[in-house]
Amino acid sequence: MGVFQLAAFALLAASFVMLVRVIRPEMALQVSVIAGLIVLAFSIAQLTGILESLRSFAAKYNIDTAYVAILLKIIGIAYVVQFAGEICKDAGENALASKV
């Protein structure tokens, strides 16, 4: 799925969440989380090419792969925490989102 297709899916999902929020407000958060997980899954699938590029870059310049692994773990943790904070904001828990 390309970037534009992913963006189109996100806009359609946001529209659907707004529609669900009017009809059944209690289901809006679940639909939003599911859509977010789908976007996350497709984004992770796109990262395989980037990971291969990083591995070849590290091999070309004799960079220890342990450093690259640590960097990728830090980026992954930051992304997951940001995702969790945004879900908390969507649920109306701004105080909890700021703690995350």
Side-chain angles (χ1 to χ4, degrees):
M1 181 179 285
V3 175
F4 293 112
Q5 291 172 332
L6 193 61
F9 174 78
L11 290 175
L12 286 173
S15 300
F16 185 67
V17 168
M18 290 173 56
L19 179 67
V20 170
R21 189 170 286 135
V22 170
I23 298 170
R24 298 216 25 208
E26 67 277 3
M27 294 295 294
L29 180 63
Q30 287 84 357
V31 173
S32 176
V33 168
I34 290 170
L37 289 174
I38 291 171
V39 169
L40 181 65
F42 283 117
S43 298
I44 289 173
Q46 296 294 320
L47 289 177
T48 56
I50 295 171
L51 292 176
E52 287 301 318
S53 297
L54 282 175
R55 284 189 189 122
S56 66
F57 179 78
K60 183 177 179 180
Y61 293 104
N62 295 325
I63 298 172
D64 189 8
T65 56
Y67 297 130
V68 176
I70 291 170
L71 180 64
L72 291 175
K73 286 178 185 178
I74 291 169
I75 292 170
I77 290 169
Y79 191 74
V80 168
V81 170
Q82 181 183 3
F83 188 74
E86 292 298 322
I87 289 174
C88 291
K89 283 183 184 178
D90 288 344
E93 296 294 330
N94 290 329
L96 183 60
S98 68
K99 305 293 185 284
V100 171

